[in-house]
C-alpha cells in the first residue's frame, strides 16, 4: 500500500512538471505575426504615389517629420482645374502599421491609416487606397 502511494505521488509530480513546462512554452510563442519587412521607424521619410493617367487624384505625397509630425499633399483635378489639398497632423506607427490624425485647410479633423512593407506604403485616405513608394 505504501508502495502504491509512492508511485501515485511520483506520477502526480511527473504530470505537474509536464503541465508547467507546457505552459511556459506557450508564453514564449506569440499568436501575432509581425511584418519583418517593416522599418522600425518612419521618422523623416517621404513617400509618393503618382499616376499621370488618373482622371481625378493623380498624386499623393506623405512626409513624416520627426517622431510625431506628418504632412500630406493630395493633388488632382476638379472641374478641369488643379486641386491641391494639404493636410497636417500627427501620426502613430508600430510594427508596420500606423494611423494619421490630420486636419484639412478648414481645421476639420479626420484620420487615415497605413501599412508599410519594405519600400511600399498602403495608405487609406478619404475612402481611397494608394500604394506609395519610399523616396
Amino acid at each position: 500500500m505504501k508502495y502504491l502511494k509512492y508511485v501515485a505521488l511520483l506520477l502526480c509530480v511527473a504530470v505537474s512538471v509536464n503541465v508547467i513546462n507546457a505552459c511556459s512554452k506557450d508564453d514564449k510563442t506569440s499568436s501575432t505575426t509581425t511584418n519583418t519587412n517593416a522599418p522600425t521607424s518612419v521618422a523623416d521619410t517621404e513617400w509618393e504615389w503618382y499616376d499621370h493617367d488618373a482622371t481625378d487624384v493623380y498624386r499623393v505625397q506623405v512626409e513624416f517629420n520627426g517622431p510625431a509630425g506628418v504632412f500630406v499633399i493630395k493633388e488632382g483635378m476638379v472641374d478641369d482645374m488643379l486641386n491641391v489639398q494639404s493636410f497636417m497632423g500627427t501620426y502613430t506607427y508600430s510594427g508596420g502599421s500606423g494611423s494619421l490624425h490630420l486636419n484639412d485647410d478648414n481645421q476639420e479633423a479626420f484620420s487615415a491609416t497605413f501599412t508599410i512593407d519594405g519600400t511600399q506604403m498602403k495608405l487609406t485616405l478619404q475612402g481611397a487606397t494608394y500604394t506609395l513608394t519610399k523616396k
Side-chain angles (χ1 to χ4, degrees), residues 21-35:
N21 282 341
C23 290
S24 66
K25 287 180 186 173
D26 287 344
D27 292 340
K28 292 179 185 174
T29 60
S30 174
S31 62
T32 59
T33 58
T34 57
N35 179 353

Side-chain angles (χ1 to χ4, degrees), residues 15-104:
V15 169
S16 297
V17 169
N18 284 335
V19 169
I20 290 170
N21 282 341
C23 290
S24 66
K25 287 180 186 173
D26 287 344
D27 292 340
K28 292 179 185 174
T29 60
S30 174
S31 62
T32 59
T33 58
T34 57
N35 179 353
T36 57
N37 290 325
T40 57
S41 172
V42 293
D44 301 318
T45 61
E46 293 183 31
W47 306 76
E48 183 177 46
W49 170 83
Y50 180 76
D51 181 359
H52 68 279
D53 293 327
T55 57
D56 51 1
V57 176
Y58 63 83
R59 180 174 175 260
V60 175
Q61 183 175 353
V62 176
E63 294 180 24
F64 293 100
N65 300 311
V70 65
F71 184 65
V72 178
I73 298 171
K74 180 178 168 185
E75 296 179 15
M77 298 297 286
V78 175
D79 298 326
D80 294 327
M81 295 183 66
L82 178 63
N83 180 31
V84 178
Q85 297 174 302
S86 60
F87 313 111
M88 292 181 69
T90 60
Y91 71 91
T92 57
Y93 174 77
S94 178
S97 62
S99 59
L100 308 177
H101 310 284
L102 302 168
N103 291 311
D104 65 13

Side-chain angles (χ1 to χ4, degrees), residues 1-17:
M1 184 74 154
K2 216 178 202 186
Y3 180 74
L4 211 49
K5 285 182 184 180
Y6 182 72
V7 171
L9 179 63
L10 282 178
L11 284 173
C12 287
V13 169
V15 169
S16 297
V17 169

Side-chain angles (χ1 to χ4, degrees), residues 57 74 85 87 102 104 110-113 123-130:
V57 176
K74 180 178 168 185
Q85 297 174 302
F87 313 111
L102 302 168
D104 65 13
F110 67 99
S111 295
T113 59
L123 172 69
T124 302
L125 175 69
Q126 297 177 318
T129 301
Y130 307 95

